[in-house]
Amino acid sequence: MATIDSRRTDATNGLMSVTTSYLKFWRLDPTSQTYTLVTRIDAPHAGGVHSISFQPCHRRNALLCVSTGRDRLFRVWELQSVLGAGPNERFVWACRATCGYRNVQPTAAAFSSDGSTLAVAFGGAVTLWDPAVCARPVGVLVASADTPKLKGVAFVGASSFVAAWSDERLDVWNMLTGSVWWTLAMPIQSVYVHPRSSLLAVAAYQVPGSSTASVMVLSPSSPTPLLAIQHPSGVEAVALVPTATKLGRSHPNSEHAKPDPLDSNTLVVLTPSGLISVYGAHVDSKNKVVPSVQGRRMESSAFKDIFGMQKPVAAEAPILANAQVRATMRLVRSAVQSSYVNAPFHVLPPVKSLYTQFVTAQLLP
């Protein structure tokens, strides 16, 4: 796991504001289910880090990670062995390569499913690199001269397609032909590329400024949606979550019996108000797969963003009976007027039961 700690100091006394960032690599301990810090890199990029992405790899000693920064560079980090062997072996993350492209700031990066190709978005172009060398790009994909600034790029599963999107359009490239396979020219709000299968979930607005968003699940080989949902309350983000079981059905609205994307996935939609809608598939009485939806609101605050959601706590039963509380209050009144509460803490009632009497005794007549 990799995390970015970033702090920005405000400009005061005529000085320029400074952004300090730290790139931290962590390792999961399967026994304790906790993460331990492996390497901390101070200021990996001047001006801060824009994005990070890991290379898919099944070998522990051959891991790569790419980071893009606001210094118009991207860096490839490698996990290296520095001490011992076997159970005493120690690892550290070190910079393997630093590259740029035409002095343009990179905005996103992604590895192919086999880890052999690295795609980095620079402005409106998608550059392709060999992560083992990173000397120069092995290919450049540009849809048109007026392509807007890209904000995301991803390889679609194990297929030969690459998706690149901006605020205005989504382009799907075919790596075998080196050309744009199809384009979705709509205001794009969110794009999610499935990590295992060749599916994309796209949230877009047909009319800019509209509150109704179109949520579509597509295959990279065709711009025709496999599933389309109109979401009236807007969309902040979308995701496809793999499910444990498969229904083995086809989409009921498909004339050619195309696979239903909800057959083995769950579509999750997050609205700007914090409401999460979950779309899944179930079999109805006519033996057809139809989507079902469930909603749950997520209350958002700065405290919850930092520390997460708090588990609901069951209401506490009254600790003391009313008669016992009144008897204790008489003890408290006398104790407060003398030298506060001198009784042992284990015999006192909860503070919330003493608060009214205690404050009243402190007030001057």
Side-chain angles (χ1 to χ4, degrees), residues 226-294:
L226 300 174
L227 176 68
I229 300 172
Q230 296 296 320
H231 214 271
S233 56
V235 174
E236 187 70 22
V238 293
L240 284 170
V241 182
T243 55
T245 59
K246 296 182 64 177
L247 298 177
R249 304 287 180 173
S250 298
H251 198 280
N253 299 327
S254 175
E255 299 178 355
H256 303 286
K258 296 180 180 179
D260 183 10
L262 298 185
D263 178 39
S264 58
N265 300 284
T266 300
L267 178 63
V268 181
V269 179
L270 174 65
T271 65
S273 61
L275 180 67
I276 293 181
S277 299
V278 180
Y279 294 86
H282 68 276
V283 180
D284 62 2
S285 58
K286 297 181 180 180
N287 202 30
K288 293 183 178 180
V289 177
V290 295
S292 61
V293 61
Q294 298 177 353

Side-chain angles (χ1 to χ4, degrees), residues 344-365:
F345 70 91
H346 63 276
V347 301
L348 293 176
V351 176
K352 61 183 180 182
S353 302
L354 307 178
Y355 176 78
T356 302
Q357 296 293 337
F358 182 80
V359 173
T360 303
Q362 300 303 311
L363 296 178
L364 296 177

Side-chain angles (χ1 to χ4, degrees), residues 170 182-193 199-206 213-219 222-231 235 238-240 261-262 267-269 279:
L170 166 67
W182 55 267
T183 299
L184 182 64
M186 295 175 63
I188 304 297
Q189 174 63 29
S190 176
V191 176
Y192 180 84
V193 179
L199 291 174
L200 299 93
V202 181
Y205 291 92
Q206 296 182 355
S214 298
V215 179
M216 298 167 285
V217 180
L218 306 102
S219 169
S222 173
T224 303
L226 300 174
L227 176 68
I229 300 172
Q230 296 296 320
H231 214 271
V235 174
V238 293
L240 284 170
L262 298 185
L267 178 63
V268 181
V269 179
Y279 294 86

